[in-house]
Amino acid sequence: RSKTQVDKIMSAIFDFSSLLTVILLLICSCTYLRELRPVLFDGGKTLEPGQRILPREGLSSFCWKLSRIGERLSPYIAVSCVLMSLHVLFGK
């Protein structure tokens, strides 16, 4: 491979618009999965009043945080998805 081929392959990793696209897809996917199956991220346990909430750890914690962002900022996420789709379709 020539140096220009390697540069083109590696530039997708560090491309800012690609990073934003992946983050938006993760937020939308996690929000959808949490709405579809809340047990996946919440642990499926209902707590009695006064009980301590169990800590979230690992991948489920990361997905839970992304789904919370998608829930609370849904109008902004929706506008960002539309703008990113227009950028991908017509900007690149």
Side-chain angles (χ1 to χ4, degrees):
R1 291 183 181 173
S2 68
K3 183 162 175 47
T4 57
Q5 287 177 337
V6 173
D7 287 343
K8 287 181 182 179
I9 292 171
M10 294 300 289
S11 67
I13 296 172
F14 301 109
D15 187 20
F16 186 67
S17 68
S18 297
L19 178 67
L20 284 178
T21 304
V22 169
I23 290 172
L24 283 172
L25 286 173
L26 279 172
I27 289 172
C28 293
S29 299
C30 289
T31 305
Y32 175 74
L33 285 174
R34 187 164 187 264
E35 288 295 318
L36 190 65
R37 302 263 191 251
V39 175
L40 291 175
F41 303 137
D42 293 340
K45 296 185 179 182
T46 56
L47 298 175
E48 299 295 323
Q51 277 186 324
R52 222 175 126 218
I53 297 175
L54 299 173
R56 294 176 180 89
E57 296 175 347
L59 183 63
S60 76
S61 169
F62 182 68
C63 291
W64 180 83
K65 289 175 186 176
L66 288 175
S67 69
R68 185 60 75 178
I69 290 170
E71 287 175 354
R72 293 188 179 177
L73 299 175
S74 61
Y76 299 109
I77 297 295
V79 169
S80 299
C81 287
V82 169
L83 291 175
M84 186 56 69
S85 68
L86 291 174
H87 172 72
V88 167
L89 288 174
F90 303 115
K92 286 188 174 182

